[in-house]
Amino acid sequence: MPEVIVKTTPGLIPDLVMKHSFADTMQGVVAEVLSVPGTQAELHRNEVEVDFQEFSPFAMRNGIDCAITVTANLYPERDGKADEYAKRIMKLLSQKFYVHVLGVYHVWILLAQGGFRDSRS
């Protein structure tokens, strides 16, 4: 289950409505980009978790207003594609969301081997 952390400067995404809209957009974009249908890497939007954080007042942000980090399992079908995924996510965000609101931002894709189990299964 991929996890998306959207870390921003305080007040950049000020209200819950915007966060819900952006979270919904991120779920769809990440699922679209990372999914490899018919394999273990197949992904649906409801499997993507999105959370928000703010940079601390003492953070060294290097001019970044928003940092989007996507952590997902490294399946063979995804191997070597992290940079491609980051570019595609940025492109889709610019088409689906008012990214100028995010100021200077980056997308960082972290693909790692991992295990996941859900207590509901």
Side-chain angles (χ1 to χ4, degrees):
M1 179 172 290
E3 180 182 43
V4 179
I5 303 294
V6 180
K7 197 168 191 178
T8 65
T9 55
L12 187 67
I13 302 179
D15 60 16
L16 291 175
V17 173
M18 184 130 177
K19 287 183 180 183
H20 286 285
S21 172
F22 191 74
D24 183 62
T25 299
M26 283 304 305
Q27 282 184 308
V29 166
V30 169
E32 179 179 336
V33 171
L34 269 64
S35 184
V36 183
T39 71
Q40 282 187 309
E42 185 168 3
L43 185 58
H44 304 280
R45 71 180 305 123
N46 65 339
E47 297 173 310
V48 178
E49 295 179 2
V50 179
D51 196 8
F52 293 87
Q53 299 176 2
E54 289 186 347
F55 290 110
S56 78
F58 306 107
M60 298 301 292
R61 300 179 292 107
N62 299 320
I64 299 294
D65 298 307
C66 178
I68 300 169
T69 304
V70 179
T71 305
N73 276 336
L74 172 62
Y75 293 113
E77 299 84 3
R78 292 183 183 151
D79 196 16
K81 297 181 180 177
D83 192 51
E84 172 191 331
Y85 292 155
K87 288 177 188 176
R88 287 177 55 199
I89 288 172
M90 287 190 81
K91 181 178 180 181
L92 287 172
L93 283 178
S94 70
Q95 293 171 353
K96 297 179 183 232
F97 193 75
Y98 302 107
V99 293
H100 67 276
V101 172
L102 299 178
V104 178
Y105 73 103
H106 70 246
V107 174
W108 187 17
I109 306 294
L110 300 171
L111 300 175
Q113 291 182 345
F116 177 81
R117 294 291 178 264
D118 189 324
S119 66
R120 295 173 290 187
S121 47

